[in-house]
Amino acid sequence: MLGRVSDDVGEQQERSLDALLGDVATGDRAAFGELYDRTAPRVFGLVRRILVDAAQAEEVTQDVFLEAWQNAARFDAGRGAAVAWLLTIAHRRAVDRVRSAQAAADRDLKAGVRELASPQEDVAERVELRVEHERVSVALAELSEAQRTALAMAYYEGKSQSEIAVALELPLGTVKTRLRDGMIRLRHLLGVTS
């Protein structure tokens, strides 16, 4: 008999939480306050077990009740009890916070690994660039002065073919020919086949 009495009390409390949540859906602040007072310890306890950090658990608990206030109208007592609805929101938000923290830690770790790996890569890159620069300098010296000037203006100064033609006071066709012939000769001198 005693078990039946405690079951009835539990059912009445669940039903009253359902009714409170229904009142919250209509904007009843007093109902929200009572709902908060009666359920916050359970919500906080669940969130705290997932997050461990008390400050983060408090933030997530606040987010849970904000969501409950904003979405109380979506609660359907036919699908479950109000406390189960709140605890589902709490669990989802806590897990989202853990995933977010893990993603941030992974990003930080990847950035740190890149920073640690770059000094060795930088040295190799700089040596390779220096060797390539020397090869190009030697090849450029083999071009005619006219081709070298046109290519230097195009690649080092970033001028267009038309701008080079104006600067050198040459027809556009002549500039195009010098650039094309200079590039063909450079490819040949550098051993580029494609």
Side-chain angles (χ1 to χ4, degrees):
M1 188 77 163
L2 184 59
R4 179 70 186 142
V5 170
S6 65
D7 285 346
D8 289 343
V9 170
E11 286 176 20
Q12 288 174 349
Q13 285 179 341
E14 290 300 318
R15 274 196 292 265
S16 65
L17 286 177
D18 293 351
L20 279 175
L21 200 51
D23 292 343
V24 169
T26 65
D28 185 338
R29 292 175 186 262
F32 180 75
E34 185 178 343
L35 178 73
Y36 179 86
D37 291 342
R38 291 178 55 190
T39 59
R42 285 183 72 183
V43 170
F44 178 76
L46 172 65
V47 173
R48 177 78 191 267
R49 279 192 304 275
I50 295 169
L51 293 178
V52 181
D53 181 86
Q56 284 193 26
E58 288 173 2
E59 286 178 24
V60 170
T61 300
Q62 182 179 1
D63 291 343
V64 168
F65 282 99
L66 178 62
E67 185 173 339
W69 173 257
Q70 293 171 337
N71 297 313
R74 293 185 182 170
F75 169 69
D76 180 5
R79 297 181 67 196
V83 72
W85 184 74
L86 284 170
L87 292 176
T88 300
I89 294 170
H91 184 268
R92 189 183 73 238
R93 286 211 173 244
V95 169
D96 286 348
R97 179 68 65 99
V98 168
R99 288 180 181 150
S100 174
Q102 185 61 49
D106 290 348
R107 279 192 306 273
D108 291 345
L109 179 62
K110 287 178 185 176
V113 167
R114 276 195 309 267
E115 288 178 15
L116 287 176
S118 54
Q120 295 168 346
E121 292 172 3
D122 285 348
V123 171
E125 265 183 50
R126 281 185 277 173
V127 168
E128 188 176 322
L129 285 172
R130 182 174 290 152
V131 168
E132 195 63 30
H133 178 73
E134 289 172 10
R135 286 185 63 217
V136 170
S137 295
V138 168
L140 279 171
E142 297 290 320
L143 299 178
S144 70
E145 181 64 32
Q147 291 172 339
R148 191 172 37 252
T149 301
L151 285 171
M153 291 176 82
Y155 290 97
Y156 297 124
E157 297 175 26
K159 293 190 180 219
S160 68
Q161 294 173 347
S162 300
E163 291 171 331
I164 295 169
V166 170
L168 297 177
E169 298 177 353
L170 293 171
L172 181 58
T174 302
V175 171
K176 288 182 178 186
T177 300
R178 287 181 183 179
L179 288 170
R180 187 195 71 222
D181 291 347
M183 287 303 296
I184 291 170
R185 180 101 168 104
L186 268 180
R187 281 192 196 108
H188 174 73
L189 292 168
L190 293 171
V192 178
T193 56
S194 57

